[in-house]
Amino acid sequence: MVLERLQQMASHLTGQTNRPHPFDPLSTEEIAAAVAIVGQSHPDVFFNTVTLWEPRKEQMMRYVASPENVPRPHRVADIVAIGRGSKVFDGTVDLDEGKIVTWDLTEGVQPLITMEDLQIVETVVRKDAKVIEQCGIVGIPPQDMHKVYCDPWTIGYDERFGSGVRLQQALMYYRPHIDDSQYTYPLDFCPIYNSDTQEIIHIDIPKVRRPLNTAPPTNYHAEAIKAAGGFRTDLKPINITQPEGVSFTVDGRTVKWQNWSCHIGFNYREGIVLSNVTFNDKGTVRPIFWRISLAEMVVPYGNPERPHHRKHAFDLGEYGGGYMTNSLSLGCDCKGAIHYLDAAFVSRNGDPQTIKNAICIHEEDAGILFKHTDFRDNSTTVTRARKLLISQIFTAANYEYCIYWILHQDGTIQLEIKLTGILNTYALNPGESAAPWGTEVYPGVNAHNHQHLFCLRVDPNIDGPNNTISIVDTVAADAPVGSEENFYGNAFYAKKTKVETMKDGMSDYDGASSRTWEMANEGKINAYSKKPVGYKLVSREVPKLLPKEGSLVWKRAGFARHAVHVTKYSDEQIHPAGRHVPQTSGEPSQGLPAWIAADPEGSLVNTDVVLWHTFGLTHFPAPEDYPVMPAEPMTVLLRPRGFFTENPAMDVPPSYSSTPSQVAAKKQGLTGVVDSLSRLAFGGAAEKGGSNDA
Ligand SMILES: *[C@@H]1O[C@H](CO)[C@@H](O)[C@H](O)[C@H]1NC(C)=O
Ligand SMILES: *[C@@H]1O[C@H](CO)[C@@H](O)[C@H](O)[C@H]1NC(C)=O
Ligand SMILES: *[C@@H]1O[C@H](CO)[C@@H](O)[C@H](O)[C@H]1NC(C)=O
Ligand SMILES: *[C@@H]1O[C@H](CO)[C@@H](O)[C@H](O)[C@H]1NC(C)=O
Ligand SMILES: *[C@@H]1O[C@H](CO)[C@@H](O)[C@H](O)[C@H]1NC(C)=O
Ligand SMILES: [Cu+2]
């Protein structure tokens, strides 16, 4: 009876007129329905994730093409639940039918650590006798245990404990006062926590002990700055005004802006997902990307002393870029008119939870889009650009990652990531050198070298799903100086190497050859360039993975071994380090290396392919990164190259435009509103609104 009611509830949900888009994240009601359906047959599990099981691409593509005739994909929940004795269940629940479709016990894996899992550790650590003893050794008396804090990371992988028990490593700190930054007071030992028994099972104690730092606190919050002398006073306000509102529309979760259209998804893991990305090219709606997302990341630290080798956080696969996302209502850092979207998740006990304002959508001025002056007569056209930002910020313990998906009027999609927050720090003895594996960023504070490596998943749909990837390098002509073909020796060209098979797709970055990767549709030729229409991946911050071949990180983070991997599309392949990442040994490596090894010779030409790009930066900390790190940006561009037949932004109204004949006739051209307000640029005349309409 209960089941029938659930089915009614589910079909009511999906049958209502305002039905969710098949790519919409599960709503709180859908999460509750999925939990209730699971509870019917598995009452004793707690929930790790309940997220959208995305419609299979083949069905979804048919549905997109003909929604009236193709059945709407069912709403399906993808579930990870944990039962007694740490049993992990992977399941799917069809919400339209109100029933469990699959329910499998998965052996030997650990699902990600949720915020709830993280919160518990600190209270356990403070009460543990062995931890209290270690605190005493470094100089913290038992009555000060409330001043002890920990960042309870996943353990990564520790060969002594394997994957069978769910473990966390507690990176320990101290706060002299509750408002002081704990990162100035790292403690030298590392307790290991068992999440099942909720107890400390081991403490890693270094050979060389390092006492509690005695340096004064250094803080970044406003109260601290006021106390230290106050804020600078020479900043005049900048106001962003959008008197007529915004130039985008949001229908459900589909955003339309300046000829772009895309669906904005969100999940616990990848955070923002952009799907069905299209561009209206002079009336023809052209598909460009089926799905793009940040799919994984790893932050390996470079200090060889154990247990620092365990510090290599997979922030998406081990914690979830969605789960850790900030509610931007608590301090949105976007200026102007903002449209927000919320995010819904499941809690451990199955209750739906909402993060208000998880995604921020807004426009910004983007400087000059194009400009040209005719030097003969100073006739000028200058047009300002606008960009649309779809953003989220997540906090991964000490670090903040600000993720900006940016649409540009010229057909470019940019992924910008800004790193901010606080360095991960470790204790240092007085007089001890932090070099070469770290930097003393403040007295007694050692910040270890590390990398931030992100994996972007791009499922191209360049005028259709069948695309071909090529590696493009700039090379000098082979023919020598003095030869007939290259007499002056100046010839160079863009050399394209087609990725024919998965094993050819594993390629590295080459800054000297300005290497880019092209995604093209060989079935469609650009009328002018006579080449297949395409988009290019342009990315210039692509360090190599520094942990060596055969190392733990190399084994676990297979996606980071190369700048680009290319795979044949599979619905199952979303997570390049595997579905369950915590405590994987990397033997064998999950995700990309396994998929490629399964079909190394499989053809990738003119078929449905996925491009995986690992980029990021190597961070040698410096005192300027402390006590809080000024945001450091990294950018990846997806640029149309031979996709359009001209600059697709020519119809953006200029700020100013005059023609030679207007100049000759002493008539000014069009003067746009933006620059007519600029007193410094145009003097008094412009302030009156320009003279074009005089
Ligand atoms: C995909 O985008 C196209 C073009 O914007 C739109 O017509 C179509 O309805 C979209 N499909 C879905 C399922 O969102
Ligand atoms: C600019 O913004 C500030 C604070 O948001 C407001 O007090 C002020 O009136 C605004 N000024 C103008 C010229 O709109
Ligand atoms: C942008 O889309 C509109 C239709 O909405 C179309 O008329 C216009 O030509 C498009 N602009 C470009 C540059 O393709
Ligand atoms: C163009 O502008 C420059 C700089 O203002 C000025 O020196 C020059 O005389 C102008 N040329 C013409 C043809 O107006
Ligand atoms: C894409 O290529 C596959 C073969 O790899 C073919 O079966 C399919 O029909 C093609 N799809 C389209 C939309 O052209
Ligand atoms: Cu860093």
Side-chain angles (χ1 to χ4, degrees):
M1 293 310 104
V2 185
L3 189 60
E4 264 166 38
R5 218 183 58 232
L6 287 168
Q7 280 166 346
Q8 277 167 8
M9 186 170 141
S11 66
H12 166 75
L13 278 170
T14 42
Q16 59 194 304
T17 43
N18 209 354
R19 293 162 82 187
H21 185 286
F23 284 144
D24 280 358
L26 297 184
S27 63
T28 49
E29 293 81 5
E30 289 174 314
I31 291 170
V35 165
I37 291 163
V38 169
Q40 285 303 298
S41 30
H42 307 281
D44 52 357
V45 296
F46 66 84
F47 291 86
N48 185 263
T49 37
V50 176
T51 195
L52 177 70
W53 187 84
E54 291 182 22
R56 303 297 87 172
K57 185 169 181 179
E58 193 269 334
Q59 186 196 6
M60 192 59 192
M61 279 210 147
R62 281 189 289 122
Y63 173 76
V64 169
S66 185
E68 305 79 23
N69 305 312
V70 175
R72 193 185 180 87
H74 283 188
R75 298 289 284 166
V76 177
D78 177 346
I79 295 173
V80 179
I82 301 181
R84 289 220 182 91
S86 283
K87 286 201 170 65
V88 178
F89 298 97
D90 285 287
T92 46
V93 168
D94 187 319
L95 294 168
D96 288 33
E97 293 181 10
K99 65 166 200 225
I100 295 177
V101 183
T102 59
W103 191 260
D104 300 311
L105 174 67
T106 312
E107 309 267 11
V109 299
Q110 294 297 339
L112 54 67
I113 302 275
T114 62
M115 294 303 279
E116 283 170 288
D117 294 332
L118 292 174
Q119 305 282 3
I120 306 167
V121 185
E122 203 157 72
T123 52
V124 174
V125 151
R126 285 177 180 168
K127 289 189 198 131
D128 184 87
K130 298 179 299 295
V131 173
I132 295 170
E133 183 192 345
Q134 288 304 317
C135 286
I137 292 170
V138 297
I140 301 165
Q143 66 272 21
D144 276 2
M145 283 310 292
H146 62 287
K147 298 183 178 180
V148 170
Y149 290 78
C150 77
D151 286 3
W153 292 27
T154 58
I155 196 157
Y157 179 77
D158 190 315
E159 66 281 5
R160 295 171 300 177
F161 308 106
S163 315
V165 187
R166 201 164 161 74
L167 299 174
Q168 287 165 250
Q169 50 181 329
L171 307 191
M172 302 297 296
Y173 303 92
Y174 175 81
R175 288 186 194 175
H177 181 273
I178 191 173
D179 291 340
D180 288 331
S181 170
Q182 71 210 37
Y183 298 100
T184 299
Y185 304 99
L187 309 185
D188 69 345
F189 58 93
C190 182
I192 295 175
Y193 170 83
N194 177 334
S195 329
D196 299 328
T197 57
Q198 305 202 339
E199 60 190 5
I200 304 300
I201 57 158
H202 182 79
I203 302 185
D204 280 315
I205 297 163
K207 287 195 195 90
V208 179
R209 296 310 300 256
R210 297 172 176 91
L212 184 63
N213 197 5
T214 54
T218 174
N219 295 314
Y220 55 89
H221 51 69
E223 291 310 310
I225 306 307
K226 280 188 215 155
F231 294 109
R232 64 184 67 178
T233 54
D234 55 355
L235 277 172
K236 301 277 184 272
I238 290 183
N239 282 25
I240 310 295
T241 56
Q242 291 166 279
E244 295 171 34
V246 298
S247 0
F248 61 86
T249 59
V250 183
D251 175 11
R253 300 182 70 106
T254 298
V255 63
K256 289 192 195 302
W257 176 82
Q258 298 290 291
N259 296 49
W260 286 106
S261 165
C262 73
H263 179 276
I264 305 172
F266 196 85
N267 63 53
Y268 73 100
R269 180 91 172 243
E270 301 164 284
I272 293 170
V273 175
L274 302 183
S275 297
N276 195 27
V277 182
T278 65
F279 193 96
N280 183 331
D281 178 11
K282 302 203 163 103
T284 307
V285 174
R286 299 176 66 188
I288 300 180
F289 297 107
W290 180 251
R291 189 183 189 281
I292 44 183
S293 66
L294 202 58
E296 191 50 277
M297 57 181 284
V298 66
V299 185
Y301 282 76
N303 187 309
E305 197 183 323
R306 95 166 280 125
H308 303 304
H309 68 293
R310 284 198 313 241
K311 285 197 300 191
H312 54 272
F314 292 71
D315 291 296
L316 306 189
E318 291 184 328
Y319 308 90
Y323 273 164
M324 297 188 297
T325 215
N326 289 184
S327 171
L328 297 170
S329 49
L330 295 178
C332 174
D333 309 294
C334 317
K335 265 197 162 186
I338 316 283
H339 185 93
Y340 292 107
L341 295 173
D342 298 342
F345 300 122
V346 73
S347 69
R348 190 180 155 94
N349 65 11
D351 293 333
Q353 285 182 328
T354 302
I355 297 188
K356 288 294 288 176
N357 301 359
I359 302 175
C360 162
I361 307 168
H362 78 295
E363 285 176 287
E364 281 181 11
D365 179 89
I368 282 180
L369 177 58
F370 52 81
K371 172 171 184 171
H372 183 62
T373 302
D374 189 332
F375 65 85
R376 292 165 193 81
D377 58 10
N378 290 344
S379 62
T380 295
T381 292
V382 55
T383 300
R384 285 193 79 78
R386 196 78 72 77
K387 58 186 179 185
L388 183 79
L389 295 92
I390 303 161
S391 51
Q392 86 172 96
I393 300 173
F394 65 86
T395 300
N398 52 304
Y399 264 115
E400 260 64 28
Y401 293 98
C402 315
I403 314 292
Y404 302 94
W405 292 95
I406 308 174
L407 305 182
H408 291 275
Q409 289 164 312
D410 68 356
T412 300
I413 297 184
Q414 175 184 8
L415 168 60
E416 182 165 73
I417 301 182
K418 286 184 179 168
L419 299 183
T420 178
I422 309 183
L423 296 164
N424 169 268
T425 56
Y426 190 63
L428 202 57
N429 265 321
E432 183 185 356
S433 168
W437 320 118
T439 305
E440 186 165 3
V441 293
Y442 183 73
V445 178
N446 184 357
H448 295 160
N449 307 340
H450 59 280
Q451 300 190 285
H452 300 265
L453 301 174
F454 303 88
C455 184
L456 167 68
R457 181 181 183 277
V458 183
D459 183 355
N461 195 20
I462 313 288
D463 277 334
N466 285 349
N467 296 155
T468 304
I469 311 292
S470 301
I471 301 167
V472 185
D473 292 299
T474 57
V475 295
D478 285 337
V481 181
S483 67
E484 203 182 335
E485 193 189 326
N486 187 20
F487 188 77
Y488 301 102
N490 60 307
F492 61 86
Y493 69 109
K495 182 179 170 193
K496 251 188 222 183
T497 312
K498 224 182 249 188
V499 172
E500 306 260 358
T501 64
M502 296 225 235
K503 96 179 157 2
D504 301 334
M506 298 186 276
S507 43
D508 300 321
Y509 181 59
D510 184 352
S513 76
S514 307
R515 179 170 280 184
T516 56
W517 287 264
E518 183 192 81
M519 297 161 253
N521 186 330
E522 296 188 314
K524 236 190 129 191
I525 303 301
N526 184 294
Y528 295 170
S529 71
K530 316 282 190 304
K531 292 179 191 161
V533 296
Y535 257 70
K536 251 185 187 183
L537 167 72
V538 180
S539 179
R540 304 186 186 99
E541 273 145 325
V542 193
K544 66 176 216 160
L545 177 69
L546 289 165
K548 291 195 154 183
E549 179 162 350
S551 68
L552 182 57
V553 178
W554 186 89
K555 287 189 287 187
R556 298 187 71 213
F559 66 88
R561 292 176 202 165
H562 298 287
V564 164
H565 292 83
V566 186
T567 54
K568 201 172 157 73
Y569 178 83
S570 159
D571 284 324
E572 308 305 324
Q573 298 177 0
I574 300 282
H575 305 129
R579 174 170 164 95
H580 298 293
V581 179
Q583 293 175 253
T584 49
S585 65
E587 287 179 358
S589 295
Q590 292 191 32
L592 273 171
W595 304 332
I596 292 171
D599 189 15
E601 303 292 342
S603 171
L604 294 182
V605 176
N606 198 21
T607 187
D608 193 356
V609 290
V610 175
L611 184 151
W612 310 79
H613 172 46
T614 298
F615 64 100
L617 54 84
T618 301
H619 190 176
F620 295 107
E624 290 86 345
D625 296 337
Y626 208 67
V628 66
M629 184 180 155
E632 176 156 2
M634 278 169 293
T635 272
V636 173
L637 303 172
L638 297 165
R639 299 191 66 207
R641 295 280 83 188
F643 187 80
F644 299 108
T645 49
E646 62 175 10
N647 174 350
M650 300 228 290
D651 59 347
V652 175
S655 310
Y656 182 86
S657 182
S658 57
T659 63
S661 62
Q662 286 171 329
V663 171
K666 296 265 188 300
K667 255 178 32 199
Q668 300 262 335
L670 167 70
T671 305
V673 180
V674 176
D675 284 7
S676 68
L677 292 175
S678 170
R679 189 198 302 238
L680 292 176
F682 289 101
E687 212 188 341
K688 289 182 217 107
S691 46
N692 59 313
D693 42 18

